[in-house]
Amino acid sequence: MGDSFILTGGKVLDVDAGILRDGVEVLVEDGRITGVAGGRIERDGARRIDLVGRTLMPGLIDAHVHVIATLVDLAKNAELPSSLVALRARKIMAEMLGRGFTTLRDLAGADLGLKMAVDEGLIEGPRLVICGKALSQTVGHCDYRGRNDRRPLHDGSLGSLGRIADGVDPVRRAAREEIKAGADFIKIMANGGVASPNDPIHVLQYSREEIRAIVEEAENYGLYVSAHTYTDASIRRAVECGVHSLEHCNLIGADTACLAAEKGAIACPTLVAYEGLALEGAAFGLSADSQAKIETVRSAGIESLAVMRDAGLPMAFGSDLLGQLHKYQSMEFKIRARILSPREIIHSATRVSAKLCRMEDEIGVIAEGAHADFVVVNGDPLVDISLLAEPDRGIAAVIKGGKFFKDELGSVVA
Ligand code: ZN
Ligand code: ZN
C-alpha cells in the first residue's frame, strides 16, 4: 500500500471551466486520485494536508521537450557518450519536475530506457511520452553534417535526436523500428529548422508520398504522427497528409489553421525556444547561420497564437529548449500571456497537452481515477500567470503519482 492523504482547505482549479472551486477535498491513494468531493472526505489512515490560501491544480504537461538535448550544439550532443547523456537528462528532467511539469512529451531523442527508469522510480522525473528518434530526410532538420561531409550518419547514440531515412520503403522501415523500440507516436521533420545547418526555414522536407507512408505505419499501430513545421505551406501539406500533431506553427495562416482544426489536428507552439536562442544561443555555440534564422520565426510566433485561437485550433503547451537553455522553460507562460488569457494557457498545459499524450483521463485533470499529479500554487494562477512562470516563488509543492517532489507547504495536519 502506498501513501494516502487528503488535500484540503485550498481552492481547486477546474481547468475545463477555468474557475476555482471552494470546499473541495481530494483523496489520494496508491498514486491515484480516488475521491473528489465538495465536502469532507473521511478515510482511515489518510493524512490531511492543509492547502489554505493556495490553489491545487493538475500537474503541468510540457508537450514539446528534448530531455536528451544536453547541449545547444546538437551535432556535438550526438557525439557525447550515451551514459553521460542519460545522466545529464536525469538532471534536466528533475529540474522540469521542480517547475511543476509532471509529464513530458519528448519530441525526439528520449528512449524507452529513460521512460522505464522514471516508471521504476530509479530516477526522479516527470512521466515520459516518447517518439524515439525523429525521422529526417537527407539535408533535413536532423542532418547536422557539413556540406562536404558525406559520411553516413550513425544514429545509435542517445544524444542524437534523429535518424536519416529517405524514400517510401526506408521511411516505413524507420517508423516500424521506432514503434518496435517503444515509440508512443512518430515524429518527422517536415520543414527547415533553426538549429540545423543546411536547411533554410522555408524548405519542405519529405515528399507527400513519404509522409503519407509514415502516417499509414503509425496509424496501423494505433499511433499518430507529429511534424516539425513552421511555414503555412508546410503545415497545410502535413495536415493534408494526415499529420495530427503540428509542432511550432509560427508562420501559419488563418485558412490553414481552420483546415487543421477541421481535421482534428492539434498545434504545439514552442515560443520560448526562440527567446532562449536569441538570449543566449550564440554564447552556447549556435552557429551564425542558425542565429540568422531565429528572427524568421520569433515575432511571427507570437502572432500565430491569435491566428490559431481564432480558428479554433487547439494548442498544446511546448517549450522545445536545448541544452543550457532549459532554465527558461517556464518563461513560455509569460510569452503566451501577451496574447492568451491565463485560463487558455493553463488549459493548454493540462487538457490539450494530455490529449497529445493520449492520456486524457489520466493526467491534466483532477478527477477520480487520474494519476495523483498536482501543483500547489501560492495564489491564483488564473489571475497571475507569473506564479507558474516563476516557480521558485509561485509553486509551493509538486506531487507526482501521489509522491511529493517539492514540498514547501509545512502544513501537514494529523
Ligand atoms: Zn522542431
Ligand atoms: Zn523540438
Side-chain angles (χ1 to χ4, degrees):
M1 285 290 283
D3 196 17
S4 65
F5 54 87
I6 294 160
L7 298 163
T8 181
K11 296 186 191 289
V12 173
L13 201 163
D14 178 333
V15 293
D16 289 319
I19 55 170
L20 300 186
R21 296 193 190 280
D22 261 328
V24 176
E25 296 204 337
V26 178
L27 174 64
V28 172
E29 293 173 298
D30 295 328
R32 295 268 177 175
I33 298 170
T34 53
V36 180
R40 190 176 169 89
I41 296 175
E42 299 291 348
R43 185 63 113 235
D44 285 349
R47 294 177 294 140
R48 298 184 70 79
I49 298 175
D50 185 8
L51 305 180
V52 69
R54 296 185 166 111
T55 301
L56 182 71
M57 63 176 290
L60 300 167
I61 304 161
D62 191 330
H64 191 131
V65 298
H66 300 283
V67 300
I68 58 87
T70 72
L71 297 172
V72 171
D73 185 334
L74 294 175
K76 282 212 175 85
N77 198 69
E79 290 167 9
L80 296 172
S82 292
S83 50
L84 179 65
V85 172
L87 291 166
R88 286 185 180 174
R90 168 192 184 155
K91 182 163 181 278
I92 288 169
M93 287 192 284
E95 288 169 354
M96 289 181 174
L97 189 55
R99 296 182 197 109
F101 294 97
T102 49
T103 302
L104 305 173
R105 190 178 66 133
D106 189 280
L107 265 286
D111 71 354
L112 189 60
L114 286 176
K115 180 172 165 161
M116 289 170 69
V118 171
D119 290 345
E120 283 178 12
L122 183 63
I123 61 174
E124 286 195 353
R127 311 173 188 290
L128 278 180
V129 174
I130 62 169
C131 63
K133 301 286 185 220
L135 275 51
S136 166
Q137 65 168 53
T138 293
V139 75
H141 184 41
C142 278
D143 188 345
Y144 299 108
R145 295 170 297 184
R147 292 233 179 245
N148 203 35
D149 181 353
R150 293 172 192 276
R151 289 172 295 181
L153 267 183
H154 61 91
D155 50 30
S157 69
L158 184 61
S160 120
L161 269 71
R163 56 186 290 171
I164 306 293
D166 295 290
V168 170
D169 287 344
V171 298
R172 282 189 191 278
R173 185 187 178 110
R176 289 171 186 172
E177 285 177 353
E178 294 309 320
I179 293 168
K180 176 176 168 293
D184 297 304
F185 64 100
I186 295 294
K187 169 80 180 289
I188 65 167
M189 300 306 190
N191 206 186
V194 172
S196 42
N198 301 317
D199 55 333
I201 297 291
H202 69 272
V203 302
L204 296 179
Q205 299 184 1
Y206 277 134
S207 65
R208 284 180 186 262
E209 290 68 30
E210 288 167 310
I211 297 174
R212 287 205 177 98
I214 298 165
V215 168
E216 184 183 12
E217 292 303 327
E219 290 182 350
N220 283 350
Y221 205 78
L223 308 181
Y224 68 79
V225 171
S226 148
H228 159 96
T229 177
Y230 285 118
T231 64
D232 191 70
S234 162
I235 299 163
R236 176 165 283 268
R237 200 180 58 135
V239 170
E240 287 170 352
C241 291
V243 170
H244 175 63
S245 176
L246 306 166
E247 310 306 313
H248 317 308
C249 292
N250 299 45
L251 301 163
I252 194 169
D255 289 351
T256 299
C258 287
L259 176 71
E262 269 168 36
K263 295 264 188 181
I266 297 177
C268 188
T270 59
L271 301 175
V272 70
Y274 319 105
E275 299 297 322
L277 286 171
L279 282 167
E280 284 195 285
F284 292 122
L286 192 73
S287 73
D289 285 350
S290 287
Q291 289 172 49
K293 295 185 197 176
I294 297 172
E295 275 313 312
T296 314
V297 290
R298 186 178 170 201
S299 49
I302 305 288
E303 315 291 324
S304 74
L305 295 177
V307 172
M308 291 189 274
R309 178 190 55 196
D310 295 347
L313 176 59
M315 285 179 271
F317 183 97
S319 56
D320 196 24
L321 289 159
L322 305 176
Q324 301 89 334
L325 305 175
H326 278 116
K327 61 188 172 183
Y328 293 118
Q329 184 180 26
S330 300
M331 193 199 286
E332 181 74 18
F333 288 102
K334 268 197 184 154
I335 298 169
R336 291 192 182 205
R338 292 182 211 161
I339 303 286
L340 303 174
S341 68
R343 176 189 168 174
E344 289 169 320
I345 302 167
I346 290 169
H347 193 255
S348 289
T350 53
R351 291 300 252 172
V352 184
S353 292
K355 259 191 191 173
L356 278 184
C357 296
R358 295 258 164 116
M359 295 177 77
E360 250 184 298
D361 299 326
E362 297 218 280
I363 57 172
V365 63
I366 296 178
E368 273 185 37
H371 286 294
D373 296 355
F374 307 99
V375 170
V376 179
V377 185
N378 288 322
D380 180 358
L382 292 170
V383 172
D384 181 6
I385 198 72
S386 75
L387 294 165
L388 299 179
E390 298 163 27
D392 286 349
R393 173 179 71 85
I395 294 180
V398 179
I399 305 165
K400 188 197 124 202
K403 192 173 167 207
F404 279 79
F405 287 89
K406 173 177 182 178
D407 185 3
E408 293 172 357
L409 295 172
S411 63
V412 175
V413 182

